């Protein structure tokens, strides 16, 4: 069992497990009062890694990882179906993160020279917004800031100036020791 993440309400732990033969995603009540429930089934040669739950607990962002790529998918708890997020494909980890409202999803995509943090609407519309240079984006609890790893010694912060139109401030460097 690997890659554990909490549900937004803290009632469940979601994780990857190969307990049924393939590296798929399961969830289980955090208090251990139920058996693990299988959410995904991975195709041969791929593994599924949970990334982030939406705040309403209805959608799980996860990566489908093969030897050459990481693609972003969303599992809908109600329909028990998965849908790929178009044009999110990377040779490296995506580190996807739902916004607290569930309206946006942030992730990392590399270019030939650097990693970029991008945000797009959820459900996807095709629009993508560059937040900054870095990786592993996380939203503040209010959804008004996005924090991300910039390099070996700094994190960065971008303030969302207008959440409806998704306009951003310039990024601000935060010394690594501020977050420790």
């Amino acid at each position: 069992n690997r890659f554990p993440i909490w549900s937004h309400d803290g009632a469940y732990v979601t994780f990857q497990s190969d307990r049924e033969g393939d590296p798929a995603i399961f969830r289980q009540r955090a208090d251990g009062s139920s058996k693990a429930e299988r959410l995904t089934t991975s195709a041969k040669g791929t593994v599924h890694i949970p990334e982030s739950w939406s705040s309403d607990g209805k959608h799980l962002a996860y990566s489908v990882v093969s030897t050459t790529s990481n693609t972003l998918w969303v599992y809908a708890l109600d329909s028990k179906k998965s849908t790929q997020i178009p044009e999110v494909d990377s040779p490296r980890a995506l580190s996807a993160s739902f916004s607290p409202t569930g309206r946006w999803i942030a992730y990392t995509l590399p270019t030939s020279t650097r990693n970029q943090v991008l945000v797009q609407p959820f459900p996807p519309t095709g629009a993508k917004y560059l937040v900054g240079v870095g990786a592993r984006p996380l939203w503040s609890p209010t959804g008004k800031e996005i924090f991300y790893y910039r390099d070996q010694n700094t994190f960065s912060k971008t303030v969302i100036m207008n959440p409806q139109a998704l306009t951003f401030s310039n990024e601000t460097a935060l010394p690594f020791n501020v977050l420790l």
Side-chain angles (χ1 to χ4, degrees):
N1 299 317
R2 300 183 300 191
F3 308 112
I5 63 169
W6 290 99
S7 61
H8 188 71
D9 63 3
Y12 289 88
V13 175
T14 304
F15 55 94
Q16 180 205 79
S17 177
D18 61 0
R19 64 183 61 203
E20 293 180 8
D22 60 310
I25 297 175
F26 293 77
R27 76 173 185 156
Q28 186 168 4
R29 291 203 57 84
D31 65 7
S33 65
S34 66
K35 291 177 61 176
E37 170 189 10
R38 184 184 188 111
L39 302 180
T40 69
T41 301
S42 61
K44 185 175 178 150
T46 66
V47 297
H48 294 177
I49 299 174
E51 300 272 1
S52 177
W53 277 102
S54 61
S55 58
D56 62 7
K58 293 181 180 182
H59 297 96
L60 170 68
Y62 69 98
S63 291
V64 174
V65 180
S66 71
T67 56
T68 58
S69 73
N70 293 269
T71 54
L72 185 58
W73 291 70
V74 174
Y75 174 82
L77 194 58
D78 294 345
S79 68
K80 301 192 182 317
K81 294 192 190 278
S82 293
T83 306
Q84 185 175 357
I85 302 289
E87 300 175 24
V88 180
D89 192 340
S90 171
R92 289 182 250 165
L94 296 167
S95 303
S97 177
F98 272 109
S99 70
T101 64
R103 254 188 94 202
W104 307 98
I105 190 163
Y107 52 90
T108 306
L109 277 184
T111 66
S112 60
T113 59
R114 60 188 182 183
N115 286 330
Q116 295 180 329
V117 173
L118 297 163
V119 172
Q120 68 174 287
F122 181 77
T125 64
K128 294 180 184 176
Y129 303 90
L130 177 62
V131 175
V133 175
R136 296 183 230 145
L138 290 173
W139 297 83
S140 69
T142 64
K144 294 180 181 177
E145 298 169 311
I146 299 175
F147 296 90
Y148 44 96
Y149 183 71
R150 174 75 175 179
D151 60 36
Q152 292 180 348
N153 296 312
T154 60
F155 282 86
S156 287
K157 168 182 83 167
T158 296
V159 177
I160 299 169
M161 305 300 288
N162 180 347
Q164 302 308 316
L166 209 63
T167 55
F168 305 105
S169 70
N170 292 330
E171 68 182 14
T172 304
L174 302 172
F176 189 73
N177 62 359
V178 167
L179 299 175
L180 297 179

